[in-house]
Amino acid sequence: LTILLNSAFKRSWVTFSCFLYVAAKCQLVQTQESKDEWINRFGFEVYRHNLNIFFAEHQVGWHLNEDSKLRRFVPQALTKSIEKVELDLKNTFEPAITHYKKAYFFLTQYPFDSENSIKEIVSAIESIVRTIHPTENTLGKGISKMKRDERWSKQFLDIMETVYAYANSEPGVRHGGTISPNVQRIDADFCFHTGTSIIKYLSEYYSCEINIDIVLNNLTEELPPIE
């Protein structure tokens, strides 16, 4: 296996990744049809384990997952941060989770889909803003309404508006264009991490405001008469 990997590794990444995909699929099928002794020595899990060790030794930022698909390596700290965002979105901003997961998937799959990753992270932000302001049917209108609310930081809203403007202006991201999109992975990375920060701020700040409103409402309730 090591000899084959070293030989394939010297070729282009496209050729190398195709080789890995075909080999992994063959191993997966063979594993499902073979006996335990063969599986323990040559099965898919053995292949996957050795391949991921090879990737780590050569500092390749990918790994083969249990479904025989290449995924970008994501640091554990970032994985925990992403899980925390999804947890924060539950209940109040549930619809945004689907968009957020898609944005992450498009950014970590092979091949990359940078355009759709940017589209989905902006859609996740839009979903949250429209939940906060249900009468506004676009992110742009929602931001405009938030600007009239002094509780929101002007600088924060400017950042959110800039990300929205970028996604709208780039051909092939949120709207069809007459020229091919020129979005790179680094653009999608930037939008995803900036979008994640925006989502964390929105969800945490809004949750705090809800709790404050509940407390204030309870404090201002009419006290029962003294008997």
Side-chain angles (χ1 to χ4, degrees), residues 203-219:
S203 61
E204 291 180 21
Y205 187 89
Y206 186 68
S207 296
C208 288
E209 286 298 310
I210 288 177
N211 291 332
I212 290 172
D213 287 344
I214 291 171
V215 171
L216 291 176
N217 287 336
N218 288 336
L219 288 174

Side-chain angles (χ1 to χ4, degrees), residues 17-34 38 42-45 47-48 51 64-71:
S17 61
C18 287
F19 164 77
L20 296 180
Y21 177 78
V22 172
K25 282 296 182 184
C26 290
Q27 289 291 106
L28 197 57
V29 171
Q30 189 68 24
T31 296
Q32 293 168 350
E33 298 175 350
S34 301
W38 187 93
F42 308 108
F44 172 73
E45 285 302 325
Y47 170 79
R48 185 166 78 97
L51 176 62
L64 190 70
N65 70 6
E66 60 276 6
D67 297 321
S68 184
K69 294 179 180 177
L70 286 172
R71 290 287 180 262

Side-chain angles (χ1 to χ4, degrees), residues 151-167:
R151 292 176 298 177
W152 294 102
S153 161
K154 179 183 181 301
Q155 288 73 25
F156 166 72
L157 295 176
D158 285 345
I159 293 170
M160 186 160 61
E161 192 169 44
T162 300
V163 172
Y164 177 57
Y166 167 74

Side-chain angles (χ1 to χ4, degrees), residues 15 30 37 47 57 60 72 80-81 93 98 121 125 138 163 186 191 204 209 211 221:
T15 303
Q30 189 68 24
E37 184 179 348
Y47 170 79
E57 289 175 347
V60 177
R72 280 179 73 187
K80 288 183 178 179
S81 175
F93 302 113
T98 301
I121 195 67
I125 296 169
T138 68
V163 172
I186 194 170
C191 286
E204 291 180 21
E209 286 298 310
N211 291 332
E221 281 182 359

Side-chain angles (χ1 to χ4, degrees), residues 134-151:
T135 58
E136 309 305 325
N137 60 3
T138 68
L139 177 54
K141 291 179 180 178
I143 294 173
S144 295
K145 189 163 186 175
M146 292 168 77
K147 284 183 174 181
R148 298 193 293 272
D149 186 341
E150 294 181 355
R151 292 176 298 177

Side-chain angles (χ1 to χ4, degrees), residues 106-225:
F106 288 133
L107 195 60
T108 56
Q109 70 171 358
Y110 181 78
F112 296 115
D113 192 340
S114 300
E115 292 86 359
N116 273 318
S117 181
I118 296 173
K119 171 189 171 186
E120 291 298 338
I121 195 67
V122 174
S123 293
I125 296 169
E126 184 173 48
S127 175
I128 294 171
V129 171
R130 290 183 63 188
T131 300
I132 296 172
H133 293 295
T135 58
E136 309 305 325
N137 60 3
T138 68
L139 177 54
K141 291 179 180 178
I143 294 173
S144 295
K145 189 163 186 175
M146 292 168 77
K147 284 183 174 181
R148 298 193 293 272
D149 186 341
E150 294 181 355
R151 292 176 298 177
W152 294 102
S153 161
K154 179 183 181 301
Q155 288 73 25
F156 166 72
L157 295 176
D158 285 345
I159 293 170
M160 186 160 61
E161 192 169 44
T162 300
V163 172
Y164 177 57
Y166 167 74
N168 279 339
S169 63
E170 188 66 31
V173 176
R174 283 176 64 87
H175 305 288
T178 56
I179 60 175
S180 300
N182 189 33
V183 179
Q184 306 299 318
R185 177 193 56 78
I186 194 170
D187 300 316
D189 271 336
F190 173 77
C191 286
F192 179 80
H193 296 300
T194 304
T196 295
S197 297
I198 290 171
I199 288 168
K200 287 175 71 175
Y201 185 96
L202 284 170
S203 61
E204 291 180 21
Y205 187 89
Y206 186 68
S207 296
C208 288
E209 286 298 310
I210 288 177
N211 291 332
I212 290 172
D213 287 344
I214 291 171
V215 171
L216 291 176
N217 287 336
N218 288 336
L219 288 174
T220 54
E221 281 182 359
E222 192 174 315
L223 294 174

Side-chain angles (χ1 to χ4, degrees), residues 63-109:
H63 72 278
L64 190 70
N65 70 6
E66 60 276 6
D67 297 321
S68 184
K69 294 179 180 177
L70 286 172
R71 290 287 180 262
R72 280 179 73 187
F73 172 77
V74 179
Q76 189 175 11
L78 180 56
T79 301
K80 288 183 178 179
S81 175
I82 290 169
E83 290 172 352
K84 174 67 166 56
V85 170
E86 292 181 10
L87 188 63
D88 290 344
L89 291 176
K90 278 194 172 182
N91 301 321
T92 308
F93 302 113
E94 191 84 30
I97 295 178
T98 301
H99 295 294
Y100 188 72
K101 285 183 173 179
K102 284 182 179 179
Y104 178 71
F105 173 77
F106 288 133
L107 195 60
T108 56
Q109 70 171 358

